[in-house]
Structures are given as C-alpha cells and as structure tokens.
Amino acid sequence: MALIVQKFGGTSVGSVERIEAVAEHVIKTQQQGHQVVVVLSAMSGETNRLISLAQQIDARPSSRELDVLITTGEQVSIALLAMAIIKRGHSAVSLLADQVGIKTDNMFSKARITEIDTTRLKQELEHNRITIIAGFQGRDEEGNITTLGRGGTDTSAVEIAGALQADECQIYTDVDGVYTTDPRIEPNARRLSHITFPEMLELASVGAKVLQIRSVEAAGRYNVPLRVLSSFSPDNGTLISYEEGKMKNTKVVSGVASVKDEALILVNNVDAKPSNLANVLSLLGEHNIEVDMINHLNHSEKKIDYAFTVHTNDCILAEEVLAQHAQNLGGATVEVNANVAKISVVGIGMKSHSGAAGLFFMALAEENIHTLLVSTSEIKISALVEEKYLELAVRALHAKFGLESTE
Amino acid sequence: MALIVQKFGGTSVGSVERIEAVAEHVIKTQQQGHQVVVVLSAMSGETNRLISLAQQIDARPSSRELDVLITTGEQVSIALLAMAIIKRGHSAVSLLADQVGIKTDNMFSKARITEIDTTRLKQELEHNRITIIAGFQGRDEEGNITTLGRGGTDTSAVEIAGALQADECQIYTDVDGVYTTDPRIEPNARRLSHITFPEMLELASVGAKVLQIRSVEAAGRYNVPLRVLSSFSPDNGTLISYEEGKMKNTKVVSGVASVKDEALILVNNVDAKPSNLANVLSLLGEHNIEVDMINHLNHSEKKIDYAFTVHTNDCILAEEVLAQHAQNLGGATVEVNANVAKISVVGIGMKSHSGAAGLFFMALAEENIHTLLVSTSEIKISALVEEKYLELAVRALHAKFGLESTE
C-alpha cells in the first residue's frame, strides 16, 4: 500500500463530467490498495470569472479580499468531487486550508507555505477516507486566507506530499508528461518516462511549462517522486525523481527548451572600471528588473561592452533607466533587442560528457545560426539567438543530441 | 455612538452595482458615528446555481459537502463588499465563520449556533474597521463547515448582534417593513412603524414572510431591537422591540395574516375513547407529520369527530396513514380538504380587549364566510376558511379592526 497525492488542475475538473471522471479515477487508485489524498484547482474559468467580478469593483482590489474571493473556486471543486465519490458509495471528505492546517506567511496573493499540520489528514486517511484538499490556499498566523500565486495548487500538492512523506505526488494536467522538447516545434519530440529533479528544474527555468519551478524545487527538497500525467488518458506519464539509475540508455541531454520572453540589452563603450558592471546591475535591481544572462567584452583597456538579458516586459524600463545613467558610465550607448530567443539543452549526462558544448555549437553552426550570448551550468547550455531561428535551432539541437530516437 | 449590525440579503447584493450601493450605505452609517458590523447573504441566484451544480452530480448530495459548496456564495459577497469599501478609502475586513468563531452543532444544512466568540470581532471594531461577516455559515466542533438553513443569514445577523450586545440589528430586504397585512391582498395595508416581538412571532408563524421565526425568536431572547428596512430606499422601516409604550394610538390588532399551505383533515365517526386522539396524533408524529390546529366534536356518547390541519405537502401521506389505521378507530372515515386557508389577526392589545373575538367573527359573518376550525392564543385569533374566501376575509378583518387608517 502506497500513500499517493493526486493533483488535478482546472481543465481536469472543468465540468461536472470531468469531475465525475476524476472521481472514478481516484476510486480506482484506492481500489488498487493505495491511500489517496487529492488536491484540486478551481474549475477552469472560475478563477478568471471571480477576478473579473473583483475588477468591476476595483481595478486593483485589496489583495487580502481578492484571496478571500478567489479561494471559493477551489472550495467549489472539492465539494463537488467529494459528492461524486460519496455518490459512488465510497468515503470522502473535502478539507480547506484551515482544516488541514496549511499555514503560510501573510503575503497575500503570493504566500509561501510555512507549515502543514497533518493530524487531521492522517486521521481521515486512517478511516480510509479519500481526502480532498483545496489547493492554492493557506491561512496566515492571524487566520486570514492567503493564496500561493500562479501554479499554487501544484505547490500545495507537493508540500502536502512532503508533509505526509507520500510515496508519490501525481500531477494530472492537460499534457501527458515531459517531452524532450515542445512537440509543436519538433513533431519528433519524445515523451520522457523519467527525468531527474535537477534536469526538470533547469528545463522549467528555460521554458518547459509543464510544472512550476517552485513545486519541482519543493518535491526535490522533500525527495517526493513527482509524476506528470494526463488526466484525460492517464498512463505512466513522466516520473521525476533523484534516481538516475532507472533511466535506460541514458542520454547526454534529456531535453531542449526555448523561451521568447527575454530581451537583449547591450551597453556599449562603458568606461572599463570594475565597479561599473556592479553599478549597472544594482541600478536595475533597484527597479525590480531581474537580469538573466550576463556577459561583457573588453575591446580596449579603457572601454568595455556589457550584454545581458531581462524579461521583455522590463526592457523599456531597463532602457530608460540605463540611458539616464549612461553619462555616469563614460558616455555609454544603450541598445535593446527584443527579437531574441534563448535556446537551452539540459542533461544530467553532461556532467560526465565533455563533448556536449561542442555538439551544441556544431548543431547551430551547421544552420548558420549565430549565438548572441551564452551561459552554461553543470547540466545546461543556453544560447541567445535571433528569434527567427528559434524553431530551427530547437530542431537542430534535438536531432544533434539524438533525442527523437525511441527510448 | 451605537453598535449596529446590518444584514443585507441576496437581492441587496445581487450585482456589482448593488454591492457598491451597500458600500455607500454602510460607510454613511459609520460616518454618522456608529460602529458597523455587516452580515451578508450570497448574491441572488448564486446559491441556486451552486445547488444545481451539486444536483448534476447527485440528486441528494452529501449534506456535509453541500454546505462546503454553498457557503462559497457568502464568501464571494463579503470579499466584494470589503473591496468596494476599501476602494472608497475606508477600512474594512471580511470574515468567515471560523474567523469570527461562529460555532454550531453538526446538523449540516440546518445547524444551530451554539456560541460566538467575539474576540476578533471586537478587535476589528476597536480599529474602527467595518467588519463584514459571511452569513448563513458556521463551524461545528470538528471544524466542519455548517449552514443554518433557509433564512440563515438573518439568524447569523441576530445572533451576532446578540453576542455583541448591539444597539440594533437592521435587516435590509426587498420590502420596506412589516405591514398590517399583505399589500397584494389589501392595497390599503399600512406599514407599521413599530411592532412587539410577541406579535411579530405570531405574525411570522401565520404567514407574514418578512422575517424568519428563528431570527425573531433570537432577537427577542437577546433583547436586541430588530429593524426591517428596504435596501433600495432605506427609511426607518419597522422596528421590532419589547417596548409597547412607544406605539402611538395602540390598536387592538396589529396585523392580519393568511396561509394557504395547510390542509384540513377530518376523521369522522371515531370510537369515543380518550386514547384515540392521542393515538392518531402519535401515529402522525411517527411519520414526521406536524399537526397545527386541532379540534374535536362529540356527536354522540359513542362517536367523535376529529378535525385538524397539516401542511399540504403532508396531506396525502396523512390520509394514507389514517386510512390504514381507520379500523382501529372503530371504522372511522377520513376526509381531506386542501382547499382551505388560515386567516389570523394578531395584536398585543387583545390581551386587554375582550371584544376582539367578537369583532373577528362579526367581520367574517358579514361576508357569509363560514369558519371550519378556530384556534386562539393570548394575542392571536385564527380561523380556517374555504380558500376561495382568503382575500375577502383578510380585507374584511383589516377593515373591521380599523387597520387602514393612518397611524
């Protein structure tokens, strides 16, 4: 008997019919001899409906009250699923954050879970009840309702799985697993049966949108195996764990990912003082602009060029801030290019395979794709390219690293 | 400075516009120097929408889960009202049953409040915050969500007013007060500026639907003056209190009410044993059939006729049960008449005015209306008449007791 946490997202509970299907699925899991805890999102569309009600009253509503409002969405889902399970003659109980004891800090709309008291949860499981928990929500120390931000239900599921030391946390979604790359770009993309936490974290950070980074981090921290499955045609999906050994025919690279939402900022002809880069980055930090890739090139002893990327939403602000500061940098010029894409390959096998970087640039060179910026980690290589090459670069890398072959 | 509890029902918060209007009204009350606690229902239509979702899953859904589901309606209202008040630059906070400490028994869908812990409420009021509480809901000892049944938000408001020893509990609704009779029957019906608790209780029990009996009882128990007002054009409405003295030109009778939902049951030719009536009533009680008016008539030493009324919903069951039992009653016959109406006059002045009964039967006799059953209390006279005479009887009594004249 295993203890399994199953999380179903908005489309998985998007209608009464879908909720009935989830009920059948959950009951089947229990009948296979497992203890089941279910964590649900709001029915798809419901959170947006509620937010729109709020915005009819105030374009920027009180964040405390917005959390009170939108947490009703999950409350509706859990009650309906419990009814559907009870109708089928099985024992079920829906529980809210305060009933499960999900404590958070008091950052409304983006709270972090600080503690989960599993007393009641364990009682319900001992009574062999299917326990259904409202995702996305918590309570702060004063008992106020909080929410965990976008993707919060994944976080709830993983944190609950961690607190219960569950055997597996299953994330049911509208895709059936993690792929070697986006199948809309490369039709030969292959679903991975297994991937490690560090790889999944890197992939999530460079554009694989299956899971929120926070929930992958949390699952890794608690060492709870995470599985991504389709709620529409559940099979084994993709398992995310620390166990590299289980992977057959380990590849150097597990996946190729891409993001379009970064912009390249060039600050040219800066006086070559070591403090200048620090000043530039601090300045952006003061304006809450996050910098991702960073590079610089001395083209004389006196002058230096900086290149870095920011989120495209921030690039106009970044340009303004830097242009105002240009005089202090010795008359530097600022240039922004939003038509760029970041392409990355991720693989735990790169640790022990020195040829990966060579293959990476070879693949791009063969297609005459210039790289504008490069960054590497132990298990990842990323390059910034012109946006028009995004799909071509992804397909070239996918082929070069042999990802399309059957596992 | 007074402490005022204001309750707004579903139509009063039925749209974003209505919620904005309630916000203005509440703020105005605070600006007049009062402390304000607001208790809200769900937006009109919302509870029915949620129940219909549940019934798509199960025609008789789990009552625990139904309570989890439908309490989201009030949660939405309170969050939206808090936003609307905050937008106007005033301090407000929405609170759920568990945050206010509204404890109930564990009778899902018809729970009773057992305790209200006012600690947090008082804290919020000390901070001069407009405190907005979800009506209709509570928590049982295990922390499960419960609801108080139809009209539960009125009960919430009155119980909160009682716990806080509020100066007044104001019930905003879609009528502007309590009338001497239903204005749809008697256009000359007059709004009462004041009525006593005992009268309001009797009126509510005989068909005046402005307030639920439970909330009037509770307000009387706590001695919290209750005021019924229109949320669309608030003026002074009708005040319900114990103070008879404030009434100018006290009338013998305060109001005339009528109900159509009772059926007359005649059990004729019963053996005249004293135990038989007890047996008949016990039998109905075993089938959860409540009996209202009761009469009997000995027409010989050996035989007796019983007459009583039950709710029309129960009359077919009552007829079946009694017909099966007829043999034990000495071959009695059972007859049901659902085409009857109960007409009542209520007035605290009847205590000290012996002519009320005379006037009552005079009014009916003048219109040739026969009475089928009669029952009286210290401040009420009721008679059962054929249903076709309902409106005529109401108008006759209204006129006979001089209710249409200006106060």
Side-chain angles (χ1 to χ4, degrees):
Chain A
M1 187 180 73
L3 170 52
I4 296 177
V5 175
Q6 298 188 326
K7 178 260 170 176
F8 295 88
T11 52
S12 309
V13 292
S15 66
V16 165
E17 292 69 34
R18 292 299 311 148
I19 289 172
E20 306 255 15
V22 169
E24 302 277 358
H25 182 78
V26 167
I27 290 168
K28 207 171 122 195
T29 308
Q30 194 191 43
Q31 285 173 334
Q32 286 163 354
H34 303 305
Q35 289 183 314
V36 192
V37 174
V38 183
V39 183
L40 296 188
S41 297
M43 295 171 79
S44 52
E46 180 64 5
T47 306
N48 288 339
R49 183 184 76 87
L50 292 166
I51 289 173
S52 128
L53 267 179
Q55 287 183 333
Q56 284 174 52
I57 286 178
D58 192 348
R60 305 195 66 178
S62 149
S63 57
R64 179 193 185 276
E65 299 303 334
L66 191 61
D67 282 359
V68 174
L69 180 72
I70 60 179
T71 48
T72 61
E74 285 73 24
Q75 188 168 335
V76 167
S77 306
I78 60 172
L80 293 176
L81 180 62
M83 288 174 192
I85 293 172
I86 291 167
K87 184 181 70 171
R88 287 165 172 78
H90 294 262
S91 190
V93 63
S94 73
L95 296 173
L96 298 170
D98 70 287
Q99 294 169 325
V100 185
I102 301 178
K103 289 256 181 296
T104 70
D105 58 27
N106 63 0
M107 298 295 285
F108 298 115
S109 86
K110 47 174 188 265
R112 299 229 161 208
I113 294 176
T114 53
E115 192 194 327
I116 297 181
D117 175 0
T118 55
T119 315
R120 170 131 191 205
L121 254 177
K122 283 179 177 162
Q123 279 169 8
E124 301 292 353
L125 289 172
E126 271 165 29
H127 288 98
N128 212 25
R129 271 188 207 118
I130 294 170
T131 308
I132 305 161
I133 302 174
F136 184 58
Q137 63 178 237
R139 291 289 185 110
D140 72 9
E141 267 191 8
E142 287 184 347
N144 297 306
I145 292 176
T146 55
T147 65
L148 308 178
R150 283 273 158 196
T153 304
D154 285 6
T155 308
S156 302
V158 169
E159 294 274 354
I160 288 163
L164 288 171
Q165 300 184 279
D167 296 285
E168 195 167 297
C169 180
Q170 302 179 340
I171 308 287
Y172 289 81
T173 176
D174 47 6
V175 298
D176 63 356
V178 180
Y179 278 73
T180 50
T181 196
D182 185 340
R184 287 167 300 184
I185 294 175
E186 170 55 88
N188 289 321
R190 181 172 45 84
R191 191 177 65 181
L192 297 161
S193 63
H194 180 264
I195 188 170
T196 64
F197 278 118
E199 288 172 305
M200 191 65 229
L201 269 179
E202 290 282 13
L203 276 179
S205 71
V206 293
K209 296 199 184 65
V210 186
L211 290 171
Q212 298 280 322
I213 292 180
R214 261 168 79 182
S215 54
V216 180
E217 275 172 354
R221 196 165 61 242
Y222 294 121
N223 194 10
V224 174
L226 200 58
R227 193 183 289 276
V228 179
L229 314 91
S230 162
S231 53
F232 298 91
S233 55
D235 54 13
N236 287 328
T238 300
L239 180 68
I240 306 156
S241 75
Y242 281 115
E243 300 173 43
E244 296 169 40
K246 279 194 179 169
M247 300 166 73
K248 304 166 205 145
N249 308 320
T250 306
K251 304 264 178 200
V252 175
V253 160
S254 291
V256 180
S258 58
V259 285
K260 283 200 260 194
D261 56 4
E262 291 191 21
L264 174 64
I265 307 225
L266 299 170
V267 187
N268 293 327
N269 282 312
V270 179
D271 278 347
K273 283 194 287 185
S275 60
N276 271 342
L277 182 57
N279 288 341
V280 164
L281 296 176
S282 306
L283 191 65
L284 294 172
E286 282 163 22
H287 290 81
N288 280 318
I289 299 169
E290 264 182 61
V291 172
D292 179 24
M293 305 170 91
I294 300 172
N295 210 341
H296 54 76
L297 180 73
N298 276 66
H299 51 85
S300 75
E301 267 177 31
K302 294 201 166 158
K303 289 290 179 182
I304 191 166
D305 295 348
Y306 303 144
F308 46 81
T309 61
V310 300
H311 196 281
T312 44
N313 291 348
D314 292 330
C315 76
I316 290 172
L317 177 61
E319 187 175 14
E320 280 175 16
V321 165
L322 292 171
Q324 282 167 16
H325 190 66
Q327 212 50 46
N328 303 337
L329 299 171
T333 58
V334 181
E335 204 177 302
V336 171
N337 181 2
N339 297 316
V340 292
K342 186 169 78 169
I343 314 291
S344 309
V345 299
V346 170
I348 204 103
M350 286 165 60
K351 279 187 188 179
S352 53
H353 195 292
S354 55
L359 280 176
F360 183 90
F361 289 102
M362 179 77 77
L364 297 178
E366 282 169 3
E367 301 292 349
N368 274 317
I369 301 171
H370 288 261
T371 56
L372 307 170
L373 260 182
V374 176
S375 85
T376 57
S377 80
E378 207 180 11
I379 63 167
K380 181 188 73 178
I381 306 171
S382 297
L384 204 70
V385 301
E386 283 187 75
E387 190 178 318
K388 64 181 177 186
Y389 294 126
L390 186 150
E391 293 83 4
L392 181 59
V394 166
R395 285 191 293 264
L397 290 165
H398 198 263
K400 182 62 83 184
F401 284 97
L403 291 174
E404 74 287 302
S405 61
T406 52
E407 216 172 4
Chain B
M1 186 180 71
L3 171 51
I4 297 177
V5 175
Q6 298 189 325
K7 178 261 173 177
F8 295 89
T11 52
S12 309
V13 293
S15 66
V16 165
E17 292 69 33
R18 291 300 310 149
I19 288 172
E20 307 254 16
V22 169
E24 302 277 357
H25 181 78
V26 167
I27 289 168
K28 208 171 121 194
T29 308
Q30 195 191 42
Q31 285 172 336
Q32 286 162 354
H34 305 304
Q35 289 183 312
V36 192
V37 174
V38 183
V39 183
L40 295 188
S41 298
M43 295 170 79
S44 53
E46 181 64 4
T47 306
N48 288 339
R49 184 184 75 87
L50 292 166
I51 290 173
S52 129
L53 267 179
Q55 288 184 332
Q56 283 174 52
I57 286 177
D58 192 348
R60 306 195 66 177
S62 150
S63 58
R64 179 192 186 277
E65 299 303 334
L66 191 61
D67 283 358
V68 174
L69 180 73
I70 61 180
T71 48
T72 61
E74 285 73 25
Q75 188 168 335
V76 167
S77 306
I78 60 172
L80 293 176
L81 180 61
M83 287 175 194
I85 293 172
I86 291 166
K87 183 181 71 169
R88 287 165 171 78
H90 294 262
S91 190
V93 63
S94 73
L95 295 173
L96 299 170
D98 70 287
Q99 294 169 327
V100 185
I102 301 179
K103 290 255 182 292
T104 70
D105 58 27
N106 62 0
M107 299 295 285
F108 298 115
S109 86
K110 46 174 189 268
R112 299 229 162 209
I113 293 175
T114 53
E115 192 193 328
I116 296 180
D117 175 359
T118 56
T119 316
R120 171 131 190 203
L121 255 177
K122 284 179 178 161
Q123 278 169 8
E124 300 292 353
L125 289 172
E126 271 164 30
H127 288 99
N128 212 24
R129 274 190 204 117
I130 295 171
T131 308
I132 305 161
I133 301 174
F136 184 57
Q137 63 179 239
R139 290 289 185 112
D140 72 9
E141 268 192 7
E142 287 183 345
N144 297 305
I145 292 176
T146 55
T147 65
L148 308 178
R150 281 277 156 195
T153 304
D154 285 5
T155 309
S156 302
V158 170
E159 294 274 355
I160 289 163
L164 287 172
Q165 300 183 279
D167 296 286
E168 193 166 297
C169 180
Q170 302 179 339
I171 308 288
Y172 289 82
T173 175
D174 46 5
V175 299
D176 63 356
V178 180
Y179 277 74
T180 50
T181 197
D182 185 342
R184 287 167 301 185
I185 294 174
E186 170 54 88
N188 290 322
R190 180 171 48 83
R191 191 177 65 179
L192 296 161
S193 63
H194 180 263
I195 188 169
T196 63
F197 279 117
E199 288 173 304
M200 191 65 231
L201 269 179
E202 291 281 13
L203 277 178
S205 72
V206 293
K209 296 197 186 69
V210 187
L211 290 171
Q212 297 280 324
I213 292 181
R214 263 169 78 183
S215 54
V216 180
E217 275 173 354
R221 197 164 62 241
Y222 294 121
N223 194 8
V224 173
L226 201 58
R227 193 183 290 276
V228 179
L229 314 91
S230 162
S231 53
F232 297 92
S233 54
D235 53 13
N236 287 329
T238 299
L239 180 67
I240 305 155
S241 75
Y242 281 116
E243 300 172 44
E244 296 170 41
K246 280 196 178 167
M247 298 165 76
K248 304 166 206 144
N249 309 320
T250 305
K251 304 263 178 202
V252 175
V253 160
S254 292
V256 180
S258 60
V259 286
K260 283 199 258 194
D261 56 3
E262 291 192 21
L264 173 65
I265 308 226
L266 298 169
V267 187
N268 293 328
N269 281 312
V270 179
D271 278 349
K273 284 193 287 184
S275 61
N276 271 341
L277 182 58
N279 288 342
V280 163
L281 296 176
S282 306
L283 190 64
L284 294 172
E286 283 163 23
H287 290 81
N288 282 316
I289 299 170
E290 263 181 63
V291 172
D292 179 23
M293 305 169 89
I294 300 172
N295 210 343
H296 54 75
L297 180 75
N298 275 66
H299 50 87
S300 76
E301 267 178 34
K302 293 201 168 160
K303 289 290 180 183
I304 191 164
D305 294 347
Y306 302 146
F308 45 81
T309 61
V310 300
H311 196 280
T312 45
N313 292 347
D314 292 330
C315 77
I316 290 172
L317 176 61
E319 186 175 16
E320 280 174 16
V321 165
L322 292 170
Q324 282 166 17
H325 190 67
Q327 212 50 46
N328 302 337
L329 298 171
T333 58
V334 181
E335 204 177 303
V336 171
N337 181 2
N339 297 318
V340 292
K342 186 168 78 168
I343 314 292
S344 309
V345 299
V346 171
I348 203 101
M350 287 165 62
K351 279 187 189 180
S352 52
H353 196 290
S354 56
L359 279 176
F360 183 90
F361 289 102
M362 179 77 75
L364 297 178
E366 282 168 4
E367 299 294 348
N368 273 319
I369 300 171
H370 288 262
T371 57
L372 307 170
L373 260 182
V374 176
S375 85
T376 57
S377 80
E378 205 180 13
I379 62 168
K380 183 189 71 178
I381 307 172
S382 297
L384 203 70
V385 301
E386 283 188 76
E387 189 177 319
K388 63 181 177 186
Y389 293 126
L390 185 149
E391 293 82 4
L392 181 59
V394 166
R395 285 192 293 263
L397 290 166
H398 198 263
K400 182 62 81 186
F401 285 98
L403 291 174
E404 74 288 301
S405 61
T406 52
E407 216 172 5

